[in-house]
Amino acid sequence: MIDISAFQDALGIMFSSVGSWGWIVPGLIVGLVFSAIPGISITMAMAIVLPMSLYMDFFSAIVFLTSVYTGAGFGGSVPAILMNIPGSPSSFATTFDGYAMSKKGEHNEALGYALFASTICGIGGYLLLLLVVEPLADIVLRIGPLEMFAVAIWGMLLLGSLGSTYISRGLLAAALGILLGTIGMNTAGFTRGTMGIPVLLDGISPIPAMIGLLAAGQLLSLAGRDYIIEAEGSREVSVRRILKGCWGTMKFPGVLLRGSIIGIVIGAVPGVGSSIGNLIAYAETKRTAKDSATFGKGNPKGVVAAESAVASAEGGSMATMLALGIPGGGATAILIAAFMMHNIVPGPSFIETQKPMVYAIILNNIVQAIVLLAVGIGFIYVASNIVKVRTRYVLPAILVIATLGTYAVTGETAGPITLFVFALLGFALQRYQYPVSAVVVGILLGRMLETEFLRSYQLSGGNPLYLFERPGALAIIGVMLLSLGMTAWGKRRQNKAEAEEEAAMLRLQQEDAANRAGSHATKS
């Protein structure tokens, strides 16, 4: 719970460092711009601006870097919605319904939904962090390989909801993704599928592969058009409609809450982060929705679910970093580096001895989420004008930016080569109606699944009863089984209702036919 005395001291730190507040808007803009460029990750954006923070005082430096982190959390959704190309892996699930809304001319509303969900759940995530930052440290310490393996299995269940019209093709695409995700040397020292190419020893870089798979079909589909959105009337950029989307987010409180909880929990697990949290939140929302058939066709709930998990995961990652000094991902690793540069080590002793500073950092993150709403609307207004530019100018620009971005990720030509190889693979998959999304999820989760399984096997000595010694893993598996059971029950009820409706329609048609026959007989 909150230490009132430390909380008051935290307010004192914030109001005595008013100058540090001036770094919020520049930090948000840097994060928004960098993450909106496909291939430029949040980690890279923060690494580029890290040296600048060396010349600031500690609190100003952390305010600036966390502002970049907050801005980048939302920025990736802009290209995901407008062009179906996620700016970062954490925006992947946003493409499912966000781009479908854009194709219907609802890009303003879709961006409004994403921005407001990101803002509300960012605030909610940090408020919760304020309450649980100390007890959460104890919980995170109890998370082991078996719990991580259970989370990866949970993620794999998503493949069922990301399948194509043909289930067999969806499963084959998922298997291909897992196979690609396990290329290289594993933690046991075995190498697979490298074909003697040294660069593949570290495995396939997921960001160039994801951009290649998703961008290929998209660029080809746009090549036949004059504009990204063909109808001239739908290319309007309207602040009123963006605000309408923002307000519309409030219609889905359950989706926001579910996405936030999943985002915080998954975000707090070291090494997992928002790239998996958004997929799980999307799949759970789709699974429990009455209108699940409309997901993937422009349902706003899909955008809200994905973005709420991404924003909340920031709070979860920060909790792990502050409480344990363990980075939840690349971005929080950069934050730890910033702490070290100022001779401060995050972790249990930091919370114990400098609790007011911890509270001040969390409170400032809440302020950043509020400011993001205003800065984000301005950014969306400028970025959305890309729909008014002819594709003959947009497509080469996207290709060049994506190629340079993948080069920046790997630091060598392997990045662009991976991009083009997976672009060809993506084109082939789309040509024969195999779901590209299932391959992407397989690549993201394949290596994690294998690594955590091997660690669990080594810890347990091959004893399957080890599972019963891990209540956390049992709880996750219990939730999964409950989730599957509820899905099966819901499907059964839906099938029964559809059968009854079909029978009622058939009876009405028979009665109508009988009445017509009777009417003809009377006339004759």
Side-chain angles (χ1 to χ4, degrees):
M1 290 298 109
I2 295 179
D3 182 332
I4 300 298
S5 172
F7 186 80
Q8 289 171 342
D9 290 344
L11 292 176
I13 292 173
M14 288 184 70
F15 288 108
S16 63
S17 308
V18 176
S20 63
W21 292 43
W23 289 107
I24 293 178
V25 172
L28 288 173
I29 292 173
V30 168
L32 285 166
V33 171
F34 274 75
S35 63
I37 301 172
I40 305 293
S41 63
I42 298 174
T43 308
M44 194 181 302
M46 292 180 67
I48 289 169
V49 299
L50 178 65
M52 290 174 61
S53 67
L54 185 61
Y55 302 100
M56 305 175 190
D57 63 80
F58 172 70
F59 189 60
S60 299
I62 299 304
V63 167
F64 179 55
L65 289 171
T66 51
S67 298
V68 176
Y69 188 32
T70 303
F74 166 71
S77 66
V78 176
I81 289 171
L82 293 176
M83 295 179 287
N84 201 27
I85 301 172
S88 63
S90 58
S91 307
F92 176 48
T94 309
T95 61
F96 300 154
D97 283 287
Y99 184 62
M101 289 182 74
S102 282
K103 285 199 291 188
K104 294 191 289 186
E106 297 174 358
H107 52 284
N108 293 288
E109 290 83 352
L111 288 165
Y113 281 119
L115 176 62
F116 210 55
S118 190
T119 303
I120 291 177
C121 294
I123 294 170
Y126 282 113
L127 280 174
L128 190 61
L129 175 60
L130 204 60
L131 295 170
V132 303
V133 65
E134 286 186 79
L136 195 62
D138 185 51
I139 296 171
V140 171
L141 278 176
R142 295 173 188 273
I143 294 174
L146 191 59
E147 287 77 11
M148 301 275 279
F149 177 68
V151 169
I153 291 287
W154 191 5
M156 294 307 298
L157 290 178
L158 302 176
L159 297 175
S161 62
L162 299 177
S164 66
T165 310
Y166 307 100
I167 294 174
S168 57
R169 294 184 185 187
L171 294 174
L172 277 173
L176 176 63
I178 295 167
L179 199 64
L180 292 170
T182 53
I183 283 179
M185 185 181 289
N186 69 4
T187 51
F190 291 99
T191 54
R192 295 79 40 94
T194 59
M195 295 175 287
I197 303 172
V199 76
L200 288 178
L201 283 172
D202 290 333
I204 293 171
S205 185
I207 295 178
M210 183 183 72
I211 294 174
L213 282 167
L214 294 173
Q218 190 52 31
L219 293 178
L220 287 170
S221 67
L222 289 176
R225 303 181 189 175
D226 272 346
Y227 293 92
I228 292 175
I229 297 172
E230 288 182 308
E232 188 176 350
S234 300
R235 293 199 289 268
E236 175 197 16
V237 178
S238 163
V239 174
R240 183 182 61 77
R241 289 176 60 189
I242 294 170
L243 291 174
K244 184 183 171 187
C246 288
W247 183 247
T249 308
M250 299 306 293
K251 294 177 185 172
F252 312 115
V255 177
L256 287 167
L257 183 64
R258 185 188 302 109
S260 295
I261 293 171
I262 291 173
I264 290 170
V265 173
I266 301 292
V269 180
V272 179
S274 55
S275 57
I276 295 175
N278 71 344
L279 287 166
I280 292 178
Y282 180 87
E284 280 300 299
T285 303
K286 180 181 176 183
R287 184 188 64 78
T288 53
K290 291 179 180 174
D291 54 348
S292 59
T294 62
F295 276 68
K297 299 173 183 173
N299 191 324
K301 284 189 276 189
V303 177
V304 173
E307 285 302 311
S308 59
V310 172
S312 304
E314 288 176 22
S317 284
M318 286 287 287
T320 313
M321 188 206 76
L322 291 170
L324 300 173
I326 299 172
T332 41
I334 300 289
L335 279 174
I336 289 180
F339 273 69
M340 300 287 192
M341 281 165 49
H342 289 85
N343 296 318
I344 293 175
V345 179
S349 63
F350 177 62
I351 286 188
E352 190 64 33
T353 57
Q354 299 202 43
K355 198 177 288 181
M357 180 57 77
V358 173
Y359 282 177
I361 292 171
I362 296 171
L363 287 171
N364 197 275
N365 276 299
I366 294 171
V367 174
Q368 291 165 19
I370 296 168
V371 177
L372 175 65
L373 186 61
V375 176
I377 288 174
F379 180 76
I380 286 172
Y381 186 79
V382 175
S384 298
N385 280 287
I386 195 170
V387 298
K388 295 181 177 177
V389 182
R390 288 182 180 276
T391 52
R392 71 181 68 162
Y393 305 116
V394 173
L395 297 190
I398 293 173
L399 196 59
V400 170
I401 290 171
T403 305
L404 291 176
T406 53
Y407 182 78
V409 168
T410 59
E412 51 192 11
T413 52
I417 292 172
T418 305
L419 169 75
F420 288 107
V421 168
F422 277 84
L424 293 174
L425 177 63
F427 172 71
L429 287 168
Q430 292 201 356
R431 172 73 175 78
Y432 295 103
Q433 297 182 34
Y434 285 83
V436 173
S437 53
V439 181
V440 174
V441 176
I443 291 174
L444 289 173
L445 290 178
R447 184 168 286 267
M448 176 183 166
L449 195 72
E450 184 196 18
T451 303
E452 300 306 334
F453 174 76
L454 284 174
R455 287 177 182 164
S456 304
Y457 185 81
Q458 288 165 348
L459 280 173
S460 66
N463 179 12
L465 297 178
Y466 176 68
L467 175 65
F468 296 99
E469 298 173 20
R470 307 293 303 183
L474 276 174
I476 295 170
I477 292 171
V479 169
M480 280 192 300
L481 292 177
L482 182 66
S483 166
L484 286 173
M486 289 176 68
T487 302
W489 186 61
K491 279 277 182 192
R492 187 181 173 189
R493 286 188 62 185
Q494 186 182 351
N495 291 339
K496 190 178 176 183
E498 286 175 358
E500 288 175 352
E501 188 178 345
E502 194 175 333
M505 289 292 293
L506 188 63
R507 277 199 306 273
L508 282 173
Q509 287 173 357
Q510 288 173 343
E511 286 173 10
D512 188 45
N515 289 336
R516 285 182 185 176
S519 174
H520 279 299
T522 307
K523 285 180 183 176
S524 59

